[in-house]
């Protein structure tokens, strides 16, 4: 049975992907940050244990637990768990940005580096075997206002993943990026928690802008569960993950949702000044 380790499975994309891939015959190790969520996922019939990107000890323990259960092999890794700290860049504390990079970037790199030697050692004809899928974002292709922390982690992830893909050519290890746009998850509610923790928006010179745009979006829209334009459910991402796992020659990038396709085309064909004008209105 093919095996996959998935992070960030408590809700949203990771939760759906774990159940979906299990239904397709994969043995899924569905990890998450909180022990209470581990218990819930286990009650749902998934194999679950704790793995928190901000806790290096839990990354090591989660990785070791995976290999203990598989006998030392792993067919695929889906790096997925991430969150945003919405704010104007000038109001973003350095400590907040560091924490966000730990969760969205450095922890991913730690886990990926642990997986690569395992994948190198398996396979046939002197080549390794395995697939590493990174869940990036439309915000790794094009920046949007108020999302500087998340934008920067995803732009960094795009660069690191593209480099890794080039370096893994010929090894039998496939490196793939999934690029979701707006997906119906608890992402905005989680972002609100980070906003409350880190951002003193009332003391900002942009307080009026926060009051008129970002705060209503984080609170009223989140509580009302108002969908974004072109928003899809997490099943749209799971479908692309399955294609990335099972295609004989997977693509380097899989786009999900109309905004992601628009962003990719805009970067390719439109001048930056026009892109800036478009994005500033969002």
């Amino acid at each position: 049975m093919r095996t996959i380790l998935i992070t960030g499975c408590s809700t949203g994309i990771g939760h759906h992907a774990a159940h979906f891939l299990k239904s397709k015959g994969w043995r899924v190790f569905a990890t998450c940050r909180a022990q209470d969520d581990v218990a819930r996922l286990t009650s749902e019939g998934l194999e679950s244990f704790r793995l928190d990107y901000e806790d290096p000890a839990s990354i090591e323990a989660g990785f070791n637990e995976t290999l203990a259960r598989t006998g030392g092999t792993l067919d695929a890794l889906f790096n997925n768990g991430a969150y945003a700290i919405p704010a104007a860049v000038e109001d973003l504390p350095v400590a907040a940005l560091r924490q966000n990079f730990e969760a969205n970037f450095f922890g991913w790199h730690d886990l990926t580096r642990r997986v690569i030697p395992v994948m190198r050692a398996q396979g046939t004809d002197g080549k390794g075997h395995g697939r590493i899928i990174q869940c990036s974002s439309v915000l790794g292709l094009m920046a949007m206002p108020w999302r500087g922390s998340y934008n920067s982690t995803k732009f960094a992830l795009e660069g690191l993943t593209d480099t890794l893909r080039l370096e893994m050519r010929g090894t039998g290890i496939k490196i793939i990026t999934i690029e979701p746009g707006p997906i119906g998850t608890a992402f905005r509610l989680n972002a609100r928690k980070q906003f409350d923790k880190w951002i003193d928006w009332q003391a900002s010179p942009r307080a009026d802008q926060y009051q008129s745009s970002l705060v209503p979006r984080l609170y009223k829209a989140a509580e009302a569960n108002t969908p974004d334009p072109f928003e899809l459910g997490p099943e749209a991402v799971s479908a692309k993950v399955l294609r990335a796992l099972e295609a004989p020659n997977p693509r380097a990038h899989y786009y999900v949702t109309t905004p992601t396709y628009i962003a990719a085309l805009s970067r390719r064909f439109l001048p930056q000044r026009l892109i800036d004008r478009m994005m500033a209105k969002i």
Side-chain angles (χ1 to χ4, degrees):
M1 180 181 291
R2 295 168 296 177
T3 57
I4 183 169
L5 171 61
I6 306 176
T7 59
C9 292
S10 59
T11 60
I13 289 172
H15 184 264
H16 188 278
H19 282 286
F20 179 71
L21 292 176
K22 181 184 177 185
S23 75
K24 297 297 181 181
W26 285 76
R27 184 180 180 186
V28 176
F29 303 107
T31 67
C32 53
R33 303 176 67 175
Q35 196 61 44
D36 287 348
D37 290 325
V38 169
R40 174 172 54 83
L41 293 173
T42 302
S43 72
E44 294 173 6
L46 295 168
E47 292 188 64
S48 183
F49 41 89
R50 183 173 177 269
L51 195 158
D52 180 354
Y53 283 132
E54 294 181 43
D55 179 359
S58 84
I59 295 173
E60 181 178 13
F63 172 73
N64 290 339
E65 179 66 23
T66 301
L67 295 191
R69 296 191 185 200
T70 66
T73 65
L74 186 66
D75 293 300
L77 166 65
F78 182 30
N79 277 314
N80 165 68
Y83 61 80
I85 307 175
V89 170
E90 64 183 298
D91 297 325
L92 187 65
V94 173
L97 188 60
R98 285 197 178 110
Q99 178 181 297
N100 209 186
F101 263 86
E102 200 67 47
N104 294 10
F105 183 74
F106 292 119
W108 295 39
H109 181 55
D110 185 348
L111 183 57
T112 298
R113 288 189 67 235
R114 294 174 188 276
V115 165
I116 287 174
V118 173
M119 292 183 172
R120 278 187 178 276
Q122 58 195 17
T124 58
D125 300 326
K127 289 186 177 182
H129 160 76
R131 300 197 179 189
I132 298 172
I133 301 175
Q134 310 274 59
C135 191
S136 184
S137 169
V138 63
L139 297 182
L141 303 175
M142 187 174 292
M144 292 178 66
W146 306 104
R147 298 161 177 84
S149 181
Y150 191 75
N151 287 335
S152 59
T153 64
K154 291 304 184 182
F155 268 73
L157 180 68
E158 292 279 340
L160 192 72
T161 303
D162 283 349
T163 305
L164 181 61
R165 188 182 66 254
L166 294 172
E167 293 171 350
M168 289 293 106
R169 285 175 61 87
T171 66
I173 303 171
K174 306 294 185 182
I175 311 297
I176 304 139
T177 306
I178 304 289
E179 318 273 8
I183 301 293
T185 68
F187 188 83
R188 196 181 301 164
L189 288 171
N190 293 332
R192 190 176 77 183
K193 296 174 185 177
Q194 297 296 328
F195 178 77
D196 290 340
K197 175 181 178 181
W198 291 107
I199 308 304
D200 184 8
W201 66 270
Q202 292 169 318
S204 170
R206 297 177 176 270
D208 289 345
Q209 290 175 283
Y210 279 100
Q211 183 85 50
S212 63
S213 60
L214 184 60
V215 170
R217 177 178 173 81
L218 285 176
Y219 286 83
K220 295 177 183 177
E223 290 169 0
N225 199 26
T226 304
D228 287 319
F230 305 107
E231 184 178 288
L232 298 177
E235 64 276 4
V237 181
S238 295
K240 293 295 178 77
V241 171
L242 184 64
R243 287 173 61 181
L245 288 170
E246 299 193 340
N249 294 297
R251 299 176 185 174
H253 298 265
Y254 287 88
Y255 299 148
V256 188
T257 75
T258 298
T260 311
Y261 285 96
I262 293 173
L265 290 171
S266 297
R267 280 188 60 187
R268 186 172 181 182
F269 295 112
L270 297 182
Q272 189 63 50
R273 184 173 296 178
L274 179 56
I275 292 174
D276 287 352
R277 193 180 306 160
M278 291 166 46
M279 302 311 287
K281 295 178 180 178
I282 296 177

